[in-house]
Amino acid sequence: MLSKKLLKALNNQLNKEIYSAYLYLSMSSYAGSIGLKGSANWFMVQYQEEMVHAMKVFTFINSRGEHTDLAAIAAPPTEFRSLLDMFQQTLAHEQTITASINELTDLALAEKDHATNIFLQWLVTEQIEEEENDRDIIGKLKLIGDNGQGLLMLDNELAARVFVPPPATAA
Ligand code: FEO
């Protein structure tokens, strides 16, 4: 059982994780359309990771004897100025997700819901890596500037990212 307030907040987080997946799916499509296939791959893997986050929240809600309250998912942007713009938007978005998970954790602690608090620790830790990855790529893109060769080299690097399902969701 979850309090009404915590259930609402978890449902809200579920919506945000699915929106995140939607946002990165859109970025993947855009990157592919401008010939950056490696970047398209990177964002496609990110889309898959976000769906894992969403399903973790979904499963947790049900495991506590509650049910989800699925809401409409907002449409993500479909046009971007550059790869740097995409990664800057990604980092800014992830920072809002981190803030949202922190608020959820504060709420779980205030309500002394230890099970939810323990569940949220995985997401808290995951956000450190998410933001770090984005910052690293933004740093490289700033160094590359207008150098097309450098951009293609980075795109090749981003092509190597593979989706690794966490043990709980592995087939
Ligand atoms: Fe699920 Fe990128 O936070």
Side-chain angles (χ1 to χ4, degrees):
M1 190 181 157
L2 291 160
S3 74
K4 278 196 166 54
K5 206 170 166 185
L6 205 41
L7 176 59
K8 192 175 173 196
L10 283 163
N11 265 306
N12 200 20
Q13 190 64 36
L14 172 60
N15 188 282
K16 288 179 184 180
E17 298 294 346
I18 298 177
Y19 174 78
S20 302
Y22 223 31
L23 174 63
Y24 301 136
L25 193 59
S26 181
M27 287 183 178
S28 176
S29 179
Y30 187 82
S33 78
I34 57 171
L36 295 172
K37 303 287 192 216
S39 306
N41 169 70
W42 193 96
F43 283 112
M44 186 59 78
V45 172
Q46 194 59 35
Y47 154 77
Q48 291 172 292
E49 290 210 348
E50 295 303 342
M51 288 309 296
V52 168
H53 302 171
M55 291 313 294
K56 273 185 177 281
V57 179
F58 175 93
T59 304
F60 180 73
I61 289 171
N62 272 93
S63 73
R64 297 294 302 277
E66 308 289 350
H67 66 82
T68 52
D69 183 10
L70 297 175
I73 309 296
T78 55
E79 299 281 339
F80 304 92
R81 290 191 300 276
S82 63
L83 192 58
L84 178 60
D85 176 40
M86 279 189 264
F87 275 102
Q88 284 174 329
Q89 286 197 40
T90 297
L91 177 59
H93 178 68
E94 288 304 326
Q95 286 167 336
T96 70
I97 296 295
T98 300
S100 171
I101 292 168
N102 286 344
E103 278 175 27
L104 246 177
T105 309
D106 285 345
L107 183 59
L109 287 171
E111 294 196 355
K112 297 186 169 49
D113 186 328
H114 301 295
T116 302
N117 178 40
I118 289 168
F119 164 70
L120 290 170
Q121 298 312 302
W122 188 89
L123 287 168
V124 169
T125 307
E126 180 76 0
Q127 284 308 116
I128 298 171
E129 187 190 316
E130 296 240 333
E131 289 190 24
E132 185 183 13
N133 287 343
D134 299 337
R135 272 194 299 272
D136 285 352
I137 296 169
I138 288 169
K140 287 178 184 176
L141 282 166
K142 284 185 174 169
L143 283 172
I144 288 167
D146 291 332
N147 183 323
Q149 201 176 351
L151 183 60
L152 288 178
M153 281 174 68
L154 178 63
D155 193 59
N156 277 340
E157 197 181 301
L158 299 180
R161 187 181 190 196
V162 286
F163 173 64
V164 181
T169 59

